[in-house]
């Protein structure tokens, strides 16, 4: 039976042999392993984000050179995903074989339409298609609503780590926003190189003090683009979704603005105004309320000069304009996409409020949440 020695021995730089208890790790080994792991994790994240960004751009611009993936609100037009023709005998779920250049089908895994469809759109479309078929007897398009909600939950679950990290970084940025605004205002009219360097130095000191990584808050953007495009493609190509009329009023494949300004306005087109009055305010509130809660949490982190206050007002104005642009996009995209954004906005509001309460509670308990996230590498 062997026993672990009470002391380990090491040789110092001057040749002397020193002893230390066995529980003390040799100097340097732990630090080196940690640095190596950090580098591996860093480059792995960069590669992953780059991959998602490339796939997002691929899906965004693919229609410019590949007409086979063009979307069309009409049944039996554009690119459609469903079961092979004759499998179910239901025209809402079975897609016919390709007939000419204006209609293309997608019923099994294939890379024929590129990696974006094969790797990302196909899993989501398969989930929605099978769930909708299993619940095809539901009325009013409720199965379509639930299928989109399930898709939303899965996407949220897969991106929870990035969301938490982005939320934490945004919170830290909110805490020091007043100080950053003061620095920007202080050096606004100073254009010489020395002033610019001093401004950058003071800003980086604040970032270092509060453990702020300026680009970490943008990580969610690299995930948001492909997620939006995946949902957009799923909603616009899955045949039963295209055939769904929510409550017999809003067709999932229709675009609100085209219906409002069409000859159908006096018939059912006017109802799309109410659809926009539901989706756009929800989208607006999902952006504004979290900012309001952040200001409540950081009442002391405000600018104290007129220049600093003006900069914060310009930032809020930009956010308002961005919210308006998002509203316009909702009006020009398919109803099914608008339904997803409506659910996503409600989910974001709930998540933001929950994080608001958790952060307040965390502060009262001395920052235990941040230490736990740091231990998981999410700080």
């Amino acid at each position: 039976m062997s026993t672990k020695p009470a002391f380990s021995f090491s040789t110092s730089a001057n040749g002397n042999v020193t002893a230390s208890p066995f529980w003390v790790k040799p100097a340097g080994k732990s630090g080196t392993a940690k640095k190596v792991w950090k580098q591996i994790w860093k480059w792995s994240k960069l590669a992953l984000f780059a991959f998602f960004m490339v796939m997002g751009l691929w899906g965004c611009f693919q229609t410019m050179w590949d007409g086979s993936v063009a979307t069309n609100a009409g049944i039996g037009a554009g690119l459609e995903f469903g079961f092979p023709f004759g499998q179910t005998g239901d025209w809402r779920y079975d897609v016919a074989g390709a007939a000419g250049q204006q209609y293309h089908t997608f019923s099994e895994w294939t890379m024929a339409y590129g990696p974006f469809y094969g790797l990302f759109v196909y899993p989501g479309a398969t989930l929605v298609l099978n769930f909708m078929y299993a619940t095809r007897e539901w009325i009013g398009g409720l199965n379509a609503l639930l299928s989109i909600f399930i898709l939303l939950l899965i996407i949220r679950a897969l991106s929870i780590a990035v969301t938490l990290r982005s939320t934490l970084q945004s919170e830290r940025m909110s805490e020091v926003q007043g100080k950053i605004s003061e620095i920007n205002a202080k050096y606004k009219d100073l254009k010489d190189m020395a002033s610019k360097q001093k401004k950058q130095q003071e800003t980086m000191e604040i970032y270092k003090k509060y453990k702020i990584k300026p680009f970490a808050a943008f990580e969610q953007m690299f995930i948001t683009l492909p997620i939006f495009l995946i949902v957009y493609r799923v909603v616009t190509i899955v045949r039963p979704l295209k055939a769904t009329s929510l409550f017999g009023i809003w067709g999932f494949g229709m675009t609100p603005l085209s219906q409002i300004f069409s000859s159908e306005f006096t018939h059912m087109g006017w109802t799309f105004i109410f659809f926009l009055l539901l989706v756009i305010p929800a989208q607006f509130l999902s952006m504004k309320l979290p900012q309001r809660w952040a200001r409540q949490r950081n009442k002391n982190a405000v600018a104290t000069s007129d220049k600093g206050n003006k900069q914060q007002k310009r930032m809020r104005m930009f956010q308002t304009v961005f919210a308006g642009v998002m509203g316009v996009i909702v009006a020009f995209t398919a109803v099914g996409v608008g339904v997803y954004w409506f659910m996503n906005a409600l989910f974001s509001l709930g998540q933001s409020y929950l994080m608001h309460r958790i952060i307040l509670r965390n502060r009262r308990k001395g920052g235990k949440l941040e230490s736990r996230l740091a231990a998981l590498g999410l700080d």
Side-chain angles (χ1 to χ4, degrees), residues 81 125 128-129 132 233-243:
F81 182 86
V128 171
L129 177 67
M132 289 192 66
R233 294 302 183 185
V234 167
V235 170
T236 52
I237 71 171
V238 173
R239 180 150 178 162
L241 279 178
K242 291 175 65 174

Side-chain angles (χ1 to χ4, degrees), residues 80-86 90-91 93-97 103-107 237 239:
E80 286 189 346
F81 182 86
F83 294 115
F85 182 71
D90 190 332
W91 65 271
Y93 295 89
D94 291 358
V95 290
Y103 183 51
H104 300 269
T105 60
F106 188 23
S107 58
I237 71 171
R239 180 150 178 162

Side-chain angles (χ1 to χ4, degrees), residues 362-375:
N362 177 62
R363 287 180 180 175
R364 290 195 295 268
K365 292 189 174 182
K368 292 182 179 179
L369 174 64
E370 289 205 3
S371 61
R372 290 174 182 173
L373 292 176

